[in-house]
Amino acid sequence: MIVSQTHTQLLNRIKIVLVNTSHPGNIGATARAMANMGLTKLVLVQPLEYPSMQATARAAGADDILDDAELFPSLAKAVADCSHVYGTTARLRSITWPEYTPQELAEQVRDSDGDQDIALVFGRERSGLTNEELDLCQALVHIPVDDRHSSLNLASAVMVVAFSIRSALLVAETREPTIGKKHASPVATSEQIQFYFNALDTLLNKINFYKGNATRVMRKLRRLYYKAEPSQEDVRILLGTISAINAELEKGEGES
């Protein structure tokens, strides 16, 4: 079934990001799942083996997706230009991230504003994403599989998420479209918000704010900011406040 041109444009903004994939066949199978659901942007972060004849064989005709796949040395670089980054996880985490089912994620993606890319990040086959990689994600996606058979193939996980998004778009065809309405200021990209987090972390260390587990505190602060979905203008204002505070601190040091 064909989705409208507006929703096709949205599908073309979605990046499927595979981190440190160990089996090249899973890359090919993922490309095939993407093609089935109308997705085109495949991003690979440090795959253990690629290009690969095994990946091409498993792609079953989705060679164009493999040919156009982008390779990056880190997840941060792979999602730098994305306005929203969602990380998939097979288990619940001790630190509270906003968490969606695939259907809830589909609604978030369907109603997203702007024209920047959206990243759906899938981790290593055995161990998933690290906490440091999840720090780059505004929210998590958890596929509620049966506890007795919780292992889900990488390409199958991509298919479940991609199908949920496509289904949500098809349902939305009967409604007034909400996609394409832009903020007065575009949503901040991952690179911009990470730059702010680094500046904030430097300032908090300078004033000895943490007094304990800095990593855990900073992770909670990330969650807080992600919930607000700051725009690019918001980030400029936040960076301006940090610059002003640093200036006052340096002035105080000069007077002492």
Side-chain angles (χ1 to χ4, degrees), residues 10 13 84 107-114 118 178-180:
L10 174 55
R13 288 170 41 211
H84 292 80
E107 294 172 1
Q108 294 288 320
V109 172
R110 180 195 65 204
D111 298 334
S112 64
D113 292 347
I118 297 168
T178 58
I179 298 168

Side-chain angles (χ1 to χ4, degrees), residues 14 25 85 113 136 147 156 166 188 202 212 214 241 254-255:
I14 297 174
V85 182
D113 292 347
L136 299 171
D147 290 341
S156 297
R166 188 173 182 84
T202 299
T241 63
E255 293 173 354

Side-chain angles (χ1 to χ4, degrees), residues 94-123:
S94 58
I95 295 175
T96 303
W97 273 269
E99 186 171 308
Y100 302 126
T101 65
Q103 292 79 10
E104 291 167 339
L105 167 71
E107 294 172 1
Q108 294 288 320
V109 172
R110 180 195 65 204
D111 298 334
S112 64
D113 292 347
D115 54 10
Q116 292 163 304
D117 285 344
I118 297 168
L120 308 181
V121 185
F122 296 81

Side-chain angles (χ1 to χ4, degrees), residues 9-18 30 34 38-45 65 68-72 75-88 105 109 115-122 158 161-162 165 190:
Q9 291 171 350
L10 174 55
L11 290 174
N12 289 338
R13 288 170 41 211
I14 297 174
K15 290 183 177 182
I16 298 296
V17 184
L18 308 184
T30 293
M34 290 172 60
L39 300 177
T40 60
K41 290 187 176 181
L42 176 61
V43 175
L44 305 175
V45 177
I65 293 178
D68 294 338
E70 295 183 276
L71 276 71
F72 288 91
L75 179 58
K77 291 184 180 297
V79 303
D81 61 345
C82 296
S83 60
H84 292 80
V85 182
Y86 300 99
T88 58
L105 167 71
V109 172
D115 54 10
Q116 292 163 304
D117 285 344
I118 297 168
L120 308 181
V121 185
F122 296 81
V158 172
V161 174
I165 293 172
S190 177

Side-chain angles (χ1 to χ4, degrees), residues 195-246:
F195 184 85
Y196 168 71
F197 286 144
N198 289 336
L200 177 62
D201 183 55
T202 299
L203 173 62
L204 295 180
N205 273 303
K206 183 183 293 185
I207 63 175
N208 194 27
F209 171 81
Y210 290 121
K211 298 182 179 64
N213 191 330
T215 299
R216 187 175 183 83
V217 171
M218 192 63 201
R219 194 160 282 147
K220 288 187 174 182
L221 287 172
R222 284 174 179 268
R223 303 284 79 73
L224 177 64
Y225 282 104
Y226 283 148
K227 286 179 183 178
E229 293 192 351
S231 67
Q232 295 183 17
E233 183 179 358
D234 293 335
V235 172
R236 285 194 290 270
I237 292 172
L238 291 168
L239 286 170
T241 63
I242 288 180
S243 296
I245 293 170
N246 279 323

